[in-house]
Amino acid sequence: MSREPSAEQTGRLREITAVLRKHNITKGVTPEKLRMILEDLGPTFIKIGQIMSMHSDVLPKRYCDELMHLCYDVAPMPFTEVAEVIASAYGQPFTEVFLEIDETPLGSASIAQVHRAVLLDGSPVVVKVQRKGIYATMARDIALLHKAVKLVPPVSIKGMVDLNMVLDELWSVTREEMNFLTEAANMEEFRKNNQDVAYVDTPKVYHEYTTMQVLVMEYVEGCGINDKEYLTENGYDLKEIGSKLVDNYIKQVMEDGFFHADPHPGNVKVKEGKIVWMDMGMMGRLTDRDRELIGKAVEGIALNDIGVIQDVVMELGEFKERPDPSVLYEGISGLMSRYGALDLGQIDIAEVMMDLMEVMKENKIIMPHGLTMLARGLTHMEGVLADIAPDINMIEIASRRMAGRYLMNRDWKKELKNTGKTLFRSVHKALDIPALLSDMLHGYMKGQTKINLDLHASIELERLLRRLVRNIVMGLWVMALLISSSIICTTDMKPKIMGIPALGAFGYVIAFCIVMYVFLKHIFSRK
């Protein structure tokens, strides 16, 4: 079967190549250059860049920070295409479903755009319409990006991360976001999780009008959470809004394990005293185990206990290769030296998490996808807080909520039972200590005591010792061959070569070959 690219693929590949040449990619890729390249390549690449900004566990922090600046507003598609997508989704013209649709979009992003509309029964709604042909376009672009990766010089980010692996994951995440039925389900799950929180809301979904390409939801009149002037004029307390925003976000993360992964100001509104969470195409999930380990990490930071944090990192991470515990300990120790002396109110939780991911990246530890999304979400939250209520510290609110949750959710009966069992086992073992000491001393007096040592060498030391032993053995072989060959050469043993016994000459040749092998191996191993 022919694998030659189609004319469309060839044309797009030329466009990609032209943009790469324009930005002189052969001289390396700086963070700013990568952002500009993605913007020049269009909406689908902007979306790829936005998702890449979450990968602080594999991409250098400066690249993630720069990709966070990628614009969210892109050129809208013509309304004729909007009408085509709706007609294709419903199997009939949009006029059979909606009384009217505003042709000017409320917003336009890389995957979809939203329009204000009115249903036939007069209900005001927002219609989110997927860009025409976006799935096929992104599939083509991802395939071409795999080819373009080969053009990236090894001195740039190609040497830092497996770009093909990242592209595969990006495509998986983007496909999920392009399915609006998934987003509708996310909104319902979020609503259910927060139904008892009086100050939180999310738009109602009209499931009967929602398909994979079209999402219809309640129209929310409120203002953006960063519209400080409007909020202040209408009697809102910015500090109260900021505190409630953080408190709810920590609840999403630590209690629900289901949180908004893209909480930038455009996705959070304030309406009638409620915080309204919008656009749930990108949501993060944490397992019970992940949340428990995060709680332990926060406890470790509070107690300045490096060992606890190291244990959490080893349990949470996935390994490209087993990290050196001493190097990991040193990295976490350096992290704690920067933050351990600070008061709780001075700690920037997003910055701590990003720095921790840098330590993990240096030790070739990959974080679960949910935690990389959490890192991005926390960064957005810190940005919102810095804008509307800079005096609020996220980690203080998180600590209070987690402490309350710890006390409420603690099964004290079970804890006392487990503590009792542990205490009984400890006392039972302690009673055996005098007898064990007596046996050990008795054996020592008879000269029967043995000590077993289990030594663990680092990979580098292990290689050095192996090379040293090999060279010693080779040296002994050479010495034995030289001595035996010299003795043979003093005899009249036949056959002879140029008057020298052949066996002795052969011994000299073998000794010379061994010496040259060791010498050349030493030279090349240094290179």
Side-chain angles (χ1 to χ4, degrees), residues 86-241:
I86 295 176
S88 174
Y90 294 147
Q92 57 185 340
F94 75 87
T95 53
E96 299 294 322
V97 182
F98 302 98
L99 192 63
E100 62 179 75
I101 297 181
D102 191 344
E103 294 191 11
T104 303
L106 294 172
S108 179
S110 53
I111 285 179
Q113 62 190 51
V114 292
H115 292 257
R116 190 171 181 177
V118 179
L119 293 174
L120 293 178
D121 64 3
S123 301
V125 294
V126 166
V127 184
K128 184 175 182 179
V129 184
Q130 194 172 109
R131 285 183 176 270
K132 184 180 178 181
I134 187 66
Y135 188 97
T137 301
M138 290 200 74
R140 177 201 64 191
D141 286 346
I142 290 287
L144 291 177
L145 264 179
H146 278 293
K147 297 179 181 179
V149 163
K150 299 175 183 178
L151 302 176
V152 179
V155 296
S156 63
I157 62 172
K158 186 178 180 182
M160 305 175 191
V161 60
D162 184 349
L163 290 177
N164 285 303
M165 179 195 71
V166 172
L167 287 173
D168 289 337
E169 185 174 349
L170 296 181
W171 179 226
S172 176
V173 172
T174 306
R175 277 185 301 176
E176 183 175 339
E177 190 175 355
M178 284 190 287
N179 185 349
F180 289 170
L181 292 175
T182 300
E183 181 173 351
N186 289 342
M187 294 176 74
E188 288 301 323
E189 183 176 353
F190 186 89
R191 176 183 291 277
K192 182 179 179 182
N193 289 342
N194 291 277
Q195 60 185 354
D196 295 328
V197 184
Y199 59 84
V200 168
D201 200 3
T202 192
K204 170 189 172 185
V205 178
Y206 289 83
H207 291 281
E208 63 271 30
Y209 299 110
T210 297
T211 70
M212 290 183 67
Q213 292 82 29
V214 179
L215 174 63
V216 180
M217 54 190 158
E218 171 191 6
Y219 174 73
V220 178
E221 186 69 48
C223 70
I225 197 165
N226 62 340
D227 192 345
K228 294 183 289 185
E229 185 177 345
Y230 177 88
L231 292 171
T232 304
E233 288 177 356
N234 285 269
Y236 287 98
D237 183 340
L238 296 180
K239 189 170 184 180
E240 181 185 2
I241 291 175

Side-chain angles (χ1 to χ4, degrees), residues 216-463:
V216 180
M217 54 190 158
E218 171 191 6
Y219 174 73
V220 178
E221 186 69 48
C223 70
I225 197 165
N226 62 340
D227 192 345
K228 294 183 289 185
E229 185 177 345
Y230 177 88
L231 292 171
T232 304
E233 288 177 356
N234 285 269
Y236 287 98
D237 183 340
L238 296 180
K239 189 170 184 180
E240 181 185 2
I241 291 175
S243 297
K244 288 180 175 178
L245 178 72
V246 173
D247 188 66
N248 181 249
Y249 197 71
I250 299 302
K251 172 191 175 294
Q252 295 174 33
V253 173
M254 297 305 298
E255 294 183 21
D256 304 334
F258 181 68
F259 59 92
H260 203 299
D262 197 22
H264 64 82
N267 286 339
V268 188
K269 287 189 174 184
V270 177
K271 177 190 177 184
E272 298 176 359
K274 292 188 176 184
I275 296 172
V276 185
W277 294 85
M278 321 273 290
D279 192 356
M280 297 189 181
M282 194 183 298
M283 302 292 289
R285 290 188 184 274
L286 296 174
T287 64
D288 290 340
R289 175 176 171 274
D290 290 340
R291 283 178 277 160
E292 182 182 348
L293 291 173
I294 290 173
K296 284 185 180 180
V298 172
E299 182 182 343
I301 293 173
L303 298 175
N304 201 17
D305 191 328
I306 300 172
V308 169
I309 301 173
Q310 183 178 18
D311 291 343
V312 169
V313 169
M314 295 292 284
E315 286 190 65
L316 274 176
E318 300 171 7
F319 308 108
K320 296 178 182 176
E321 57 184 60
R322 196 71 181 175
D324 186 334
S326 61
V327 176
L328 178 59
Y329 187 93
E330 185 178 346
I332 296 175
S333 178
L335 182 72
M336 293 306 297
S337 68
R338 291 197 294 275
Y339 298 106
L342 297 177
D343 293 333
L344 199 62
Q346 297 176 305
I347 296 177
D348 185 331
I349 190 171
E351 185 178 348
V352 171
M353 195 160 187
M354 296 296 282
D355 286 347
L356 179 59
M357 286 196 170
E358 284 294 308
V359 171
M360 297 181 75
K361 184 159 66 245
E362 290 169 3
N363 286 272
K364 298 181 179 179
I365 302 174
I366 302 174
M367 290 295 279
H369 183 62
L371 288 186
T372 63
M373 299 186 84
L374 176 59
R376 174 191 171 93
L378 289 174
T379 302
H380 276 310
M381 290 295 292
E382 287 284 1
V384 172
L385 286 181
D387 188 21
I388 66 171
D391 294 335
I392 293 178
N393 183 267
M394 192 184 298
I395 201 168
E396 286 183 331
I397 297 175
S399 299
R400 287 198 297 269
R401 173 167 277 279
M402 290 174 65
R405 175 173 173 265
Y406 178 85
L407 292 172
M408 286 189 296
N409 294 348
R410 200 76 165 176
D411 188 340
W412 295 106
K413 184 178 180 181
K414 183 178 178 181
E415 289 291 329
L416 288 172
K417 184 178 179 181
N418 291 338
T419 302
K421 287 182 179 178
T422 303
L423 183 61
F424 174 78
R425 285 196 298 267
S426 299
V427 171
H428 185 71
K429 290 179 180 179
L431 293 175
D432 293 334
I433 291 177
L436 292 172
L437 286 173
S438 176
D439 291 343
M440 186 176 69
L441 292 173
H442 187 67
Y444 176 76
M445 296 295 293
K446 289 187 174 184
Q448 295 175 342
T449 302
K450 295 180 181 179
I451 298 177
N452 295 322
L453 294 178
D454 186 11
L455 300 177
H456 296 276
S458 67
I459 294 175
E460 290 77 10
L461 179 58
E462 184 181 344
R463 288 174 181 167

